[in-house]
Amino acid sequence: MPAVTPVLKTHPCIHKREEPVVRAGDLPYPSALVFNAGVIRYRGEYVMIFRNDYGTDKTAYENENKRFTGTSVGIARSKIGVDGWRFDPKPLMDSNDPEKDPEMRRLYDPRIIEIEGRLYLCLAMDTRHGIRGCIAELSEDLLSYRIISASVPENRNMVLFPEKIGGEFVRLERPMPVYSRGRDRFDIWLSRSPDLVYWGRSALVLGVENVPWANDKIGPTASPIKTERGWLTLFHAVDREEDRGKNGWEPQWKKRYTAGLALLDLNDPSKVLSVYKEPLIAPDLPVETDEGFRENVIFPCGMLLEESGEVRIYYGASDTCVCLATAQLDDLLALLD
Ligand code: BMA
């Protein structure tokens, strides 16, 4: 496979686990790509909620033009959050559910967070009339959900802060203003809410032009972590070159997704205190660069701070499997002067 240029490297403070933590063959139901997973610690174990695209495979996709027939969102639990995942027997959500709202095509890219003892999911919702960012409340047993808020199109990549700030719920989000900004010049925004249903007082957080290696778009990834210096915040950053070749199952894949790092003000997270000027995580393992549906994609949806001071970053690799990277909190904060 041709190398993707310009070369972007993972920062040395990041330790990547070489093998994926979850992949398609692990699931007890139809599955082709398992990726973009949110993770929390909940009632003594780790809960992962992941995206699963199904209905084809590499050979059928490339040789018979057979496309995916569905997207589901499923749940897995593990005592240690690395291996030993136990999968629920069926998905929580499925685009082929005959009872789903006919307007809705699918839900995907789930992020999970516990706020004040309740569980919430942020999801992208493709509908017949555009992409909506939505928030769902998840039952305590993780077996059912209720959508409580859905934005107007076009918006997605929502993540909730883990606590109220100034008495309000706060989310990061990524609207897609194609008409006014030109194609794929997308930025990170923030909105506030008294109740998680009504959202407003929106503000720009970070423009794509402030991320030196991104020439395309940026977006939120996982719920930020509270530190003494500010909200430790990951984001995804996309660079695109027209001459990039096949890079996966599709005839051409021109983009590369990396993860970047920023620090947001504790009391007003629309204020950026610092952005690390290089990527934090770039695709460089074989599973990230040479295999998978869309190569060179790092797409984190979960970030956890362990008692030891280790930060765990769960990310989708190549839109194909779930991988895990770790770093020490102090090392990450040292990048944000
Ligand atoms: C984004 C989303 C993600 C995906 C990424 C790379 O637009 O659709 O689910 O991981 O593209 O394909």
Side-chain angles (χ1 to χ4, degrees), residues 5-252:
T5 54
V7 172
L8 295 176
K9 292 190 174 155
T10 298
H11 190 275
C13 78
I14 291 285
H15 173 75
K16 286 182 181 177
R17 206 175 173 273
E18 297 236 340
E19 287 298 310
V21 289
V22 170
R23 50 171 105 221
D26 300 342
L27 268 59
Y29 44 84
S31 172
L33 311 171
V34 180
F35 59 112
N36 298 1
V39 180
I40 53 164
R41 278 187 308 270
Y42 181 63
R43 299 190 173 170
E45 52 185 6
Y46 292 79
V47 170
M48 174 186 289
I49 181 150
F50 52 81
R51 166 177 174 177
N52 169 36
D53 288 5
Y54 61 89
T56 188
D57 58 29
K58 185 172 194 290
T59 308
Y61 192 99
E62 289 181 335
N63 301 340
E64 297 155 34
N65 203 25
K66 186 165 191 289
R67 296 301 181 244
F68 298 97
T69 56
T71 295
S72 63
V73 169
I75 290 184
R77 306 152 208 249
S78 157
K79 287 283 172 221
I80 59 168
V82 179
D83 50 24
W85 293 99
R86 300 171 339 265
F87 295 86
D88 284 8
K90 33 178 214 181
L92 177 71
M93 305 167 183
D94 194 322
S95 62
N96 288 311
D97 179 352
E99 285 174 20
K100 79 169 171 35
D101 176 354
E103 181 70 13
M104 188 207 300
R105 290 202 160 124
R106 60 177 186 165
L107 294 159
Y108 58 101
D109 293 353
R111 280 87 167 184
I112 183 169
I113 190 77
E114 182 174 357
I115 310 175
E116 297 178 354
R118 288 169 182 251
L119 293 175
Y120 299 99
L121 295 175
C122 295
L123 300 130
M125 183 204 281
D126 286 358
T127 76
R128 290 173 56 229
H129 293 87
I131 299 173
R132 307 176 71 181
C134 77
I135 299 173
E137 185 167 356
L138 191 57
S139 60
E140 281 182 25
D141 58 9
L142 312 167
L143 296 177
S144 61
Y145 68 97
R146 185 173 62 95
I147 293 172
I148 56 175
S149 164
S151 73
V152 289
E154 300 269 32
N155 200 344
R156 68 175 169 197
N157 291 309
M158 287 172 180
V159 301
L160 288 163
F161 284 74
E163 61 185 65
K164 285 184 180 164
I165 302 170
E168 294 171 305
F169 296 100
V170 182
R171 74 182 181 197
L172 297 174
E173 59 198 322
R174 211 285 305 283
M176 293 173 270
V178 177
Y179 195 74
S180 56
R181 281 279 273 156
R183 76 165 297 286
D184 280 30
R185 292 293 289 171
F186 305 154
D187 316 295
I188 298 175
W189 286 71
L190 166 155
S191 295
R192 303 172 170 97
S193 172
D195 56 7
L196 290 163
V197 176
Y198 296 93
W199 291 90
R201 302 214 302 118
S202 303
L204 176 68
V205 178
L206 185 64
V208 61
E209 66 279 6
N210 294 316
V211 177
W213 72 95
N215 66 8
D216 193 80
K217 60 184 173 181
I218 58 173
T221 59
S223 291
I225 289 174
K226 193 176 194 181
T227 76
E228 283 178 5
R229 288 184 44 208
W231 291 102
L232 186 76
T233 305
L234 273 183
F235 57 89
H236 68 251
V238 180
D239 69 286
R240 170 189 170 120
E241 299 297 340
E242 293 308 312
D243 62 358
R244 286 185 189 152
K246 189 156 158 52
N247 295 319
W249 301 6
E250 297 165 303
Q252 190 178 26

